[in-house]
Amino acid sequence: MKPRLFLLMLLFTLKGFAQPKPLEGIVFDKESKERIATVNIHDLTNGIAIYNNLKGEYQIIATDGDVLVFSRQNYRSDTVKVQSKEPQAIYLVRLAIQLKEVTVHNTNLTPDQKLAATKNDFTKIYGSLAYGDFLSTPYGGGAGLSIDALWNSISRSGRNASKLRDFIQHDYEQNVIDYRFNREYVGGITGLKDDKLTSFMFRYRPGYYTTTTMSDYEFITMIRANLRRYLRSQRTYGLPPLVSK
């Protein structure tokens, strides 16, 4: 009897020391659906208070019936009563309307037209400061050294102009890729939408040479081949399915 009694006492003792399973969840902005960090979660029942992490995720020791208050500056506080240990999605409402930054582009311009407009805006760096050929042809014939090119290579203005031209060229090449490899075109070929389409386009974005040298047939074939790779390699990450409050 004594050994059995000892085992029962040990079992109850270990059970008393067992840590309860924490309540998990993520806090979102109700309007933008983006995750919100540094949200204060206060359990009014047991007095525990924590902050969620930079990914918007939180873990707090709470039991059924506990009352949690979610609060953050510039947001309306939300009160939730714990009813289960399933992960929860909490949506906070902003106190003021957040205006997103809007950049206006002329979508009717092709990349070549945009480059021409840029060159027109920066006439100086594509004028005298653009001359970089070290060899010149004198009036008397034969090859000579270009004074303009030598000056631009050692002057600060010449070097800055060269860097700006390189940046404009890189921007032009990215515009060429975006013009052909766009969401409507790729979505029509792959059938992907929203986040999956964004993920696919980020992972399999072609280079400038590929974009400008492939025929339409080759380009579509490449996208479909990448789609097969993408579908084979898809994996699911994160917490279990969230339950809205």
Side-chain angles (χ1 to χ4, degrees):
M1 289 294 294
K2 289 185 178 181
R4 184 177 298 178
L5 180 62
F6 174 76
L7 289 175
L8 285 174
M9 292 178 62
L10 180 61
L11 180 62
F12 283 116
T13 302
L14 292 176
K15 187 176 181 181
F17 281 107
Q19 279 281 58
K21 179 183 177 182
L23 178 68
E24 300 177 333
I26 302 176
V27 185
F28 296 92
D29 183 300
K30 188 170 185 178
E31 181 67 24
S32 67
K33 301 301 185 292
E34 295 178 349
R35 299 187 182 204
I36 309 173
T38 64
V39 175
N40 180 267
I41 300 104
H42 184 194
D43 189 331
L44 298 181
T45 305
N46 59 29
I48 295 176
I50 64 165
Y51 284 93
N52 66 343
N53 61 24
L54 296 178
K55 296 180 180 180
E57 303 167 352
Y58 68 89
Q59 289 187 347
I60 186 169
I61 301 299
T63 58
D64 291 353
D66 284 5
V67 177
L68 306 181
V69 177
F70 295 79
S71 59
R72 190 182 189 279
Q73 188 176 7
N74 299 325
Y75 283 88
R76 184 179 292 116
S77 297
D78 194 8
T79 303
V80 177
K81 187 174 182 179
V82 179
Q83 296 179 341
S84 71
K85 285 301 182 69
E86 294 297 322
Q88 293 186 333
I90 306 298
Y91 294 90
L92 297 185
V93 179
R94 276 186 174 270
L95 294 176
I97 299 175
Q98 182 183 23
L99 298 178
K100 294 184 178 181
E101 181 181 354
V102 177
T103 304
V104 179
H105 297 282
N106 187 345
T107 56
N108 295 324
L109 294 180
T110 65
D112 288 328
Q113 289 171 330
K114 290 180 181 179
L115 178 61
T118 301
K119 287 184 176 181
N120 187 57
D121 292 336
F122 294 92
T123 53
K124 187 175 181 181
I125 67 167
Y126 286 100
S128 61
L129 291 178
Y131 193 76
D133 189 357
F134 285 92
L135 293 178
S136 64
T137 303
Y139 293 110
L145 288 177
S146 167
I147 300 300
D148 287 337
L150 287 173
W151 171 252
N152 288 339
S153 68
I154 62 175
S155 69
R156 178 176 298 177
S157 59
R159 292 196 301 274
N160 290 340
S162 177
K163 291 179 181 178
L164 183 54
R165 285 195 303 273
D166 290 342
F167 175 81
I168 292 173
Q169 177 62 27
H170 178 267
D171 188 58
Y172 163 72
E173 292 176 0
Q174 296 307 308
N175 285 336
V176 170
I177 299 172
D178 292 336
Y179 191 76
R180 191 175 189 186
F181 193 72
N182 60 76
R183 291 183 68 87
E184 183 178 358
Y185 180 72
V186 177
I189 296 172
T190 62
L192 300 175
K193 296 179 180 179
D194 303 327
D195 291 343
K196 288 188 176 181
L197 178 58
T198 301
S199 174
F200 173 82
M201 293 184 66
F202 178 80
R203 187 182 302 181
Y204 296 104
R205 180 178 175 84
Y208 174 71
Y209 179 80
T210 299
T211 304
T212 55
T213 57
M214 277 190 171
S215 65
D216 289 340
Y217 175 78
E218 292 172 330
F219 204 66
I220 293 173
T221 301
M222 177 196 70
I223 292 174
R224 287 175 175 169
N226 288 336
L227 175 63
R228 290 192 292 271
R229 298 188 185 95
Y230 175 76
L231 295 177
R232 285 197 303 266
S233 63
Q234 278 192 95
R235 296 179 181 177
T236 303
Y237 296 95
L239 294 171
L242 295 172
V243 179
S244 300
K245 70 180 183 66

